[in-house]
Amino acid sequence: MRRRVVITGIGVASCAGIGSDAFFDGICGPAPDGERRVGDFDPARWFDAKEARRTDRFAQLSVASAEMALEDAGPVGVDPDRAGVVFGTGVGGMTTLQQQITVLVERGPRFVSPFLVPMMMGNAGAAAISMRLGWRGPCETVVTACAAGTQSIGNAFRLIAYGRLDAAIAGGAEAVLEPVAGRPPIGQVAFKNMTALSTSGVSRPFDVRRDGFVIAEGGAALVLEELEHARHRGARIHAELLGAASTADAYHITAPAPEGAGARSCMELALEDAGIAPGEVAHVNAHGTSTPLNDLAEAQAIEKVFGSASPPVTSIKGVTGHALAAAGAIEAVAVVLTLERGLIPPTAGLEQLDPEVHLDVVTGSPRPFTPGPVLSNSFGFGGHNGCLVIAPAPA
C-alpha cells in the first residue's frame, strides 16, 4: 500500500516576503514596483562571510528556504539514511558563470576562481542542504525549467510514498537578476531578446493586455514526512500531499502544445494519482505566467478538465513575478497557506479578463473558500508539465 505523505514545514524567500506570514500578506496585496528581487535577503543569517562568498545566490536561497522549513517543522528525528533532498533549479549558478567569464576575458585565466564549478553547478543547492543536515538518502536536482520546483516536490513525494524515505526536503530556487560588473544579467537579457518578458513591466495573468512575464528570483522548500512518522513525533501538520504527475508536451522547445494538451493530461493524471474526481477540487493555483500563449493554453486545459464551471483559479505571479524553477515551490507554499487560512489570494494585475478565458479567476481581494483539495500547476520550456494535489491536513 502507498504511504500517506504530509507537509510539516514550509520556508519561502520571495519578493512578496521572507517567511510565511510576510509572504502570504504579500501575495494578498498589490504587485510591487520594479524588479522582483528578494530585496531584504541577508545571507549572513545562514552563512558566514567565507561561505557566502563561495556560494552562488541561487544556492543561498536554496539553503535559506530549507532552513526556514526545518525550523518550522521542528526536530524531524529521522534516520539520516532515510531522509533526502530533492531540489529544482533552471540554470543554477548562471550569475557566477557570467562573473567568471568576465574575469577570464578582462583579466585572464590565472584569475578565474577555483570555486567556479562548485558554485555554478545546478546540484549545488541540493548538495549544500544535504551536507548541512547530514541526510544521506537520495540527494537529487531536477532541472526542468519552470516545472522544476513542482516536479521536485512530486519526486520527493514518491520517494516517501513508496517507502524509500521517511522524510525529505523538496523545493526549488532561482537567482538570475544580479548585475555583473555593471552589465545586466545575461539570463534576463536573453529572455528579453526572445520577447518573453513583459515590455510594460507589469505581470497580468489572464488579462487581455498581458504581454509577457516579469522575471523574478526566490526560493521555497517543504518538509515532507510519512504521515505516521509525523504523528509519532507530534509534528504540526500543515497539509497532505495527495498526488502528483509529470508529462511532456513533446511539441516545441518554448511554446505550449495546442489547447494545452500536455497540461490537461498532467492535471488529469495528478487527480487520478490523488484518487479524487475533478468535482472535488476546491481551487486551482494556476501557472499563469502572463504570457499570451501560456495563459490561453492553460485556461483551455483547465476548462477541458473541469468543464464550464471551473473551481476558483488564481495566479500569484501578478505579485511574485515568474521565479522560473522556484515558481512551483513558491506556489506550493502559497497553496498550503491558502488552505490554512481559508483564503484564496487574488490575481494581481488582472483587470480585464481575456474573453477567451472562461474561468472563475479570483481578482481584487482574497476570496474566502471552504478548504479542499487544491491543484497546483507548473509548465516549463521544453514542454515539461508538473502538477500537485494538496489537501487540508488529515484529522
Side-chain angles (χ1 to χ4, degrees), residues 245-263:
S246 171
T247 66
D249 285 355
Y251 172 72
H252 190 273
I253 193 64
T254 57
E259 299 183 339

mmCIF file with all atom_site columns, all heavy atoms in Angstrom, residues 245-263:
data_model
loop_
_atom_site.group_PDB
_atom_site.id
_atom_site.type_symbol
_atom_site.label_atom_id
_atom_site.label_alt_id
_atom_site.label_comp_id
_atom_site.label_asym_id
_atom_site.label_entity_id
_atom_site.label_seq_id
_atom_site.pdbx_PDB_ins_code
_atom_site.Cartn_x
_atom_site.Cartn_y
_atom_site.Cartn_z
_atom_site.occupancy
_atom_site.B_iso_or_equiv
_atom_site.pdbx_formal_charge
_atom_site.auth_seq_id
_atom_site.auth_comp_id
_atom_site.auth_asym_id
_atom_site.auth_atom_id
_atom_site.pdbx_PDB_model_num
ATOM 1   N N   . ALA A 1 245 ? 1.865  14.514 -10.690 1.00 0.00 ? 245 ALA A N   1
ATOM 2   C CA  . ALA A 1 245 ? 2.008  13.965 -12.036 1.00 0.00 ? 245 ALA A CA  1
ATOM 3   C C   . ALA A 1 245 ? 3.010  14.781 -12.824 1.00 0.00 ? 245 ALA A C   1
ATOM 4   O O   . ALA A 1 245 ? 3.264  15.949 -12.520 1.00 0.00 ? 245 ALA A O   1
ATOM 5   C CB  . ALA A 1 245 ? 0.663  13.941 -12.756 1.00 0.00 ? 245 ALA A CB  1
ATOM 6   N N   . SER A 1 246 ? 3.570  14.140 -13.845 1.00 0.00 ? 246 SER A N   1
ATOM 7   C CA  . SER A 1 246 ? 4.551  14.775 -14.721 1.00 0.00 ? 246 SER A CA  1
ATOM 8   C C   . SER A 1 246 ? 4.333  14.253 -16.137 1.00 0.00 ? 246 SER A C   1
ATOM 9   O O   . SER A 1 246 ? 4.216  13.046 -16.349 1.00 0.00 ? 246 SER A O   1
ATOM 10  C CB  . SER A 1 246 ? 5.970  14.439 -14.242 1.00 0.00 ? 246 SER A CB  1
ATOM 11  O OG  . SER A 1 246 ? 6.940  14.851 -15.179 1.00 0.00 ? 246 SER A OG  1
ATOM 12  N N   . THR A 1 247 ? 4.255  15.169 -17.106 1.00 0.00 ? 247 THR A N   1
ATOM 13  C CA  . THR A 1 247 ? 4.128  14.780 -18.508 1.00 0.00 ? 247 THR A CA  1
ATOM 14  C C   . THR A 1 247 ? 4.994  15.693 -19.368 1.00 0.00 ? 247 THR A C   1
ATOM 15  O O   . THR A 1 247 ? 5.530  16.688 -18.896 1.00 0.00 ? 247 THR A O   1
ATOM 16  C CB  . THR A 1 247 ? 2.671  14.883 -19.015 1.00 0.00 ? 247 THR A CB  1
ATOM 17  O OG1 . THR A 1 247 ? 2.270  16.268 -19.024 1.00 0.00 ? 247 THR A OG1 1
ATOM 18  C CG2 . THR A 1 247 ? 1.711  14.078 -18.159 1.00 0.00 ? 247 THR A CG2 1
ATOM 19  N N   . ALA A 1 248 ? 5.109  15.344 -20.638 1.00 0.00 ? 248 ALA A N   1
ATOM 20  C CA  . ALA A 1 248 ? 5.819  16.178 -21.603 1.00 0.00 ? 248 ALA A CA  1
ATOM 21  C C   . ALA A 1 248 ? 4.905  16.487 -22.779 1.00 0.00 ? 248 ALA A C   1
ATOM 22  O O   . ALA A 1 248 ? 4.156  15.616 -23.247 1.00 0.00 ? 248 ALA A O   1
ATOM 23  C CB  . ALA A 1 248 ? 7.083  15.487 -22.091 1.00 0.00 ? 248 ALA A CB  1
ATOM 24  N N   . ASP A 1 249 ? 4.982  17.720 -23.273 1.00 0.00 ? 249 ASP A N   1
ATOM 25  C CA  . ASP A 1 249 ? 4.223  18.081 -24.474 1.00 0.00 ? 249 ASP A CA  1
ATOM 26  C C   . ASP A 1 249 ? 4.774  17.377 -25.712 1.00 0.00 ? 249 ASP A C   1
ATOM 27  O O   . ASP A 1 249 ? 4.023  17.059 -26.640 1.00 0.00 ? 249 ASP A O   1
ATOM 28  C CB  . ASP A 1 249 ? 4.303  19.590 -24.718 1.00 0.00 ? 249 ASP A CB  1
ATOM 29  C CG  . ASP A 1 249 ? 3.428  20.397 -23.775 1.00 0.00 ? 249 ASP A CG  1
ATOM 30  O OD1 . ASP A 1 249 ? 2.681  19.791 -22.975 1.00 0.00 ? 249 ASP A OD1 1
ATOM 31  O OD2 . ASP A 1 249 ? 3.500  21.637 -23.825 1.00 0.00 ? 249 ASP A OD2 1
ATOM 32  N N   . ALA A 1 250 ? 6.114  17.199 -25.748 1.00 0.00 ? 250 ALA A N   1
ATOM 33  C CA  . ALA A 1 250 ? 6.765  16.646 -26.941 1.00 0.00 ? 250 ALA A CA  1
ATOM 34  C C   . ALA A 1 250 ? 6.336  17.421 -28.183 1.00 0.00 ? 250 ALA A C   1
ATOM 35  O O   . ALA A 1 250 ? 6.005  16.841 -29.224 1.00 0.00 ? 250 ALA A O   1
ATOM 36  C CB  . ALA A 1 250 ? 6.441  15.153 -27.091 1.00 0.00 ? 250 ALA A CB  1
ATOM 37  N N   . TYR A 1 251 ? 6.390  18.753 -28.061 1.00 0.00 ? 251 TYR A N   1
ATOM 38  C CA  . TYR A 1 251 ? 5.843  19.600 -29.125 1.00 0.00 ? 251 TYR A CA  1
ATOM 39  C C   . TYR A 1 251 ? 6.799  20.696 -29.577 1.00 0.00 ? 251 TYR A C   1
ATOM 40  O O   . TYR A 1 251 ? 7.145  20.788 -30.740 1.00 0.00 ? 251 TYR A O   1
ATOM 41  C CB  . TYR A 1 251 ? 4.521  20.208 -28.639 1.00 0.00 ? 251 TYR A CB  1
ATOM 42  C CG  . TYR A 1 251 ? 3.939  21.248 -29.571 1.00 0.00 ? 251 TYR A CG  1
ATOM 43  C CD1 . TYR A 1 251 ? 3.375  20.869 -30.793 1.00 0.00 ? 251 TYR A CD1 1
ATOM 44  C CD2 . TYR A 1 251 ? 3.949  22.599 -29.237 1.00 0.00 ? 251 TYR A CD2 1
ATOM 45  C CE1 . TYR A 1 251 ? 2.850  21.819 -31.656 1.00 0.00 ? 251 TYR A CE1 1
ATOM 46  C CE2 . TYR A 1 251 ? 3.422  23.556 -30.088 1.00 0.00 ? 251 TYR A CE2 1
ATOM 47  C CZ  . TYR A 1 251 ? 2.874  23.161 -31.307 1.00 0.00 ? 251 TYR A CZ  1
ATOM 48  O OH  . TYR A 1 251 ? 2.362  24.100 -32.158 1.00 0.00 ? 251 TYR A OH  1
ATOM 49  N N   . HIS A 1 252 ? 7.281  21.541 -28.649 1.00 0.00 ? 252 HIS A N   1
ATOM 50  C CA  . HIS A 1 252 ? 8.093  22.704 -29.026 1.00 0.00 ? 252 HIS A CA  1
ATOM 51  C C   . HIS A 1 252 ? 8.945  23.102 -27.831 1.00 0.00 ? 252 HIS A C   1
ATOM 52  O O   . HIS A 1 252 ? 8.551  22.914 -26.677 1.00 0.00 ? 252 HIS A O   1
ATOM 53  C CB  . HIS A 1 252 ? 7.179  23.862 -29.444 1.00 0.00 ? 252 HIS A CB  1
ATOM 54  C CG  . HIS A 1 252 ? 7.888  25.024 -30.067 1.00 0.00 ? 252 HIS A CG  1
ATOM 55  N ND1 . HIS A 1 252 ? 8.423  26.055 -29.319 1.00 0.00 ? 252 HIS A ND1 1
ATOM 56  C CD2 . HIS A 1 252 ? 8.134  25.325 -31.363 1.00 0.00 ? 252 HIS A CD2 1
ATOM 57  C CE1 . HIS A 1 252 ? 8.984  26.934 -30.135 1.00 0.00 ? 252 HIS A CE1 1
ATOM 58  N NE2 . HIS A 1 252 ? 8.822  26.521 -31.381 1.00 0.00 ? 252 HIS A NE2 1
ATOM 59  N N   . ILE A 1 253 ? 10.122 23.683 -28.095 1.00 0.00 ? 253 ILE A N   1
ATOM 60  C CA  . ILE A 1 253 ? 11.046 23.999 -27.003 1.00 0.00 ? 253 ILE A CA  1
ATOM 61  C C   . ILE A 1 253 ? 10.537 25.120 -26.109 1.00 0.00 ? 253 ILE A C   1
ATOM 62  O O   . ILE A 1 253 ? 10.863 25.173 -24.920 1.00 0.00 ? 253 ILE A O   1
ATOM 63  C CB  . ILE A 1 253 ? 12.457 24.339 -27.565 1.00 0.00 ? 253 ILE A CB  1
ATOM 64  C CG1 . ILE A 1 253 ? 13.498 24.356 -26.446 1.00 0.00 ? 253 ILE A CG1 1
ATOM 65  C CG2 . ILE A 1 253 ? 12.429 25.663 -28.314 1.00 0.00 ? 253 ILE A CG2 1
ATOM 66  C CD1 . ILE A 1 253 ? 13.723 23.036 -25.782 1.00 0.00 ? 253 ILE A CD1 1
ATOM 67  N N   . THR A 1 254 ? 9.723  26.047 -26.628 1.00 0.00 ? 254 THR A N   1
ATOM 68  C CA  . THR A 1 254 ? 9.231  27.149 -25.794 1.00 0.00 ? 254 THR A CA  1
ATOM 69  C C   . THR A 1 254 ? 7.710  27.285 -25.785 1.00 0.00 ? 254 THR A C   1
ATOM 70  O O   . THR A 1 254 ? 7.149  27.744 -24.796 1.00 0.00 ? 254 THR A O   1
ATOM 71  C CB  . THR A 1 254 ? 9.839  28.497 -26.241 1.00 0.00 ? 254 THR A CB  1
ATOM 72  O OG1 . THR A 1 254 ? 9.531  28.716 -27.623 1.00 0.00 ? 254 THR A OG1 1
ATOM 73  C CG2 . THR A 1 254 ? 11.343 28.512 -26.026 1.00 0.00 ? 254 THR A CG2 1
ATOM 74  N N   . ALA A 1 255 ? 7.042  26.910 -26.860 1.00 0.00 ? 255 ALA A N   1
ATOM 75  C CA  . ALA A 1 255 ? 5.591  27.104 -26.941 1.00 0.00 ? 255 ALA A CA  1
ATOM 76  C C   . ALA A 1 255 ? 4.845  25.903 -26.363 1.00 0.00 ? 255 ALA A C   1
ATOM 77  O O   . ALA A 1 255 ? 5.270  24.760 -26.524 1.00 0.00 ? 255 ALA A O   1
ATOM 78  C CB  . ALA A 1 255 ? 5.171  27.318 -28.392 1.00 0.00 ? 255 ALA A CB  1
ATOM 79  N N   . PRO A 1 256 ? 3.703  26.146 -25.694 1.00 0.00 ? 256 PRO A N   1
ATOM 80  C CA  . PRO A 1 256 ? 2.902  25.022 -25.187 1.00 0.00 ? 256 PRO A CA  1
ATOM 81  C C   . PRO A 1 256 ? 2.194  24.302 -26.318 1.00 0.00 ? 256 PRO A C   1
ATOM 82  O O   . PRO A 1 256 ? 1.961  24.855 -27.397 1.00 0.00 ? 256 PRO A O   1
ATOM 83  C CB  . PRO A 1 256 ? 1.889  25.717 -24.261 1.00 0.00 ? 256 PRO A CB  1
ATOM 84  C CG  . PRO A 1 256 ? 1.744  27.096 -24.817 1.00 0.00 ? 256 PRO A CG  1
ATOM 85  C CD  . PRO A 1 256 ? 3.098  27.456 -25.361 1.00 0.00 ? 256 PRO A CD  1
ATOM 86  N N   . ALA A 1 257 ? 1.840  23.060 -26.076 1.00 0.00 ? 257 ALA A N   1
ATOM 87  C CA  . ALA A 1 257 ? 1.084  22.288 -27.060 1.00 0.00 ? 257 ALA A CA  1
ATOM 88  C C   . ALA A 1 257 ? -0.270 22.951 -27.304 1.00 0.00 ? 257 ALA A C   1
ATOM 89  O O   . ALA A 1 257 ? -0.835 23.579 -26.406 1.00 0.00 ? 257 ALA A O   1
ATOM 90  C CB  . ALA A 1 257 ? 0.890  20.856 -26.557 1.00 0.00 ? 257 ALA A CB  1
ATOM 91  N N   . PRO A 1 258 ? -0.805 22.834 -28.510 1.00 0.00 ? 258 PRO A N   1
ATOM 92  C CA  . PRO A 1 258 ? -2.096 23.465 -28.824 1.00 0.00 ? 258 PRO A CA  1
ATOM 93  C C   . PRO A 1 258 ? -3.180 23.062 -27.829 1.00 0.00 ? 258 PRO A C   1
ATOM 94  O O   . PRO A 1 258 ? -3.311 21.894 -27.462 1.00 0.00 ? 258 PRO A O   1
ATOM 95  C CB  . PRO A 1 258 ? -2.400 22.942 -30.229 1.00 0.00 ? 258 PRO A CB  1
ATOM 96  C CG  . PRO A 1 258 ? -1.057 22.652 -30.820 1.00 0.00 ? 258 PRO A CG  1
ATOM 97  C CD  . PRO A 1 258 ? -0.219 22.150 -29.678 1.00 0.00 ? 258 PRO A CD  1
ATOM 98  N N   . GLU A 1 259 ? -3.910 24.082 -27.387 1.00 0.00 ? 259 GLU A N   1
ATOM 99  C CA  . GLU A 1 259 ? -5.025 23.906 -26.449 1.00 0.00 ? 259 GLU A CA  1
ATOM 100 C C   . GLU A 1 259 ? -4.597 23.251 -25.144 1.00 0.00 ? 259 GLU A C   1
ATOM 101 O O   . GLU A 1 259 ? -5.415 22.658 -24.445 1.00 0.00 ? 259 GLU A O   1
ATOM 102 C CB  . GLU A 1 259 ? -6.169 23.118 -27.104 1.00 0.00 ? 259 GLU A CB  1
ATOM 103 C CG  . GLU A 1 259 ? -6.736 23.824 -28.337 1.00 0.00 ? 259 GLU A CG  1
ATOM 104 C CD  . GLU A 1 259 ? -7.907 23.082 -28.936 1.00 0.00 ? 259 GLU A CD  1
ATOM 105 O OE1 . GLU A 1 259 ? -8.038 21.856 -28.682 1.00 0.00 ? 259 GLU A OE1 1
ATOM 106 O OE2 . GLU A 1 259 ? -8.693 23.715 -29.651 1.00 0.00 ? 259 GLU A OE2 1
ATOM 107 N N   . GLY A 1 260 ? -3.295 23.341 -24.820 1.00 0.00 ? 260 GLY A N   1
ATOM 108 C CA  . GLY A 1 260 ? -2.810 22.836 -23.540 1.00 0.00 ? 260 GLY A CA  1
ATOM 109 C C   . GLY A 1 260 ? -2.952 21.342 -23.373 1.00 0.00 ? 260 GLY A C   1
ATOM 110 O O   . GLY A 1 260 ? -3.223 20.858 -22.264 1.00 0.00 ? 260 GLY A O   1
ATOM 111 N N   . ALA A 1 261 ? -2.737 20.578 -24.450 1.00 0.00 ? 261 ALA A N   1
ATOM 112 C CA  . ALA A 1 261 ? -2.965 19.125 -24.392 1.00 0.00 ? 261 ALA A CA  1
ATOM 113 C C   . ALA A 1 261 ? -2.111 18.453 -23.326 1.00 0.00 ? 261 ALA A C   1
ATOM 114 O O   . ALA A 1 261 ? -2.588 17.598 -22.564 1.00 0.00 ? 261 ALA A O   1
ATOM 115 C CB  . ALA A 1 261 ? -2.692 18.508 -25.764 1.00 0.00 ? 261 ALA A CB  1
ATOM 116 N N   . GLY A 1 262 ? -0.823 18.810 -23.256 1.00 0.00 ? 262 GLY A N   1
ATOM 117 C CA  . GLY A 1 262 ? 0.048  18.197 -22.256 1.00 0.00 ? 262 GLY A CA  1
ATOM 118 C C   . GLY A 1 262 ? -0.320 18.607 -20.845 1.00 0.00 ? 262 GLY A C   1
ATOM 119 O O   . GLY A 1 262 ? -0.257 17.803 -19.906 1.00 0.00 ? 262 GLY A O   1
ATOM 120 N N   . ALA A 1 263 ? -0.697 19.871 -20.679 1.00 0.00 ? 263 ALA A N   1
ATOM 121 C CA  . ALA A 1 263 ? -1.124 20.354 -19.362 1.00 0.00 ? 263 ALA A CA  1
ATOM 122 C C   . ALA A 1 263 ? -2.383 19.638 -18.904 1.00 0.00 ? 263 ALA A C   1
ATOM 123 O O   . ALA A 1 263 ? -2.524 19.257 -17.736 1.00 0.00 ? 263 ALA A O   1
ATOM 124 C CB  . ALA A 1 263 ? -1.355 21.860 -19.425 1.00 0.00 ? 263 ALA A CB  1
#
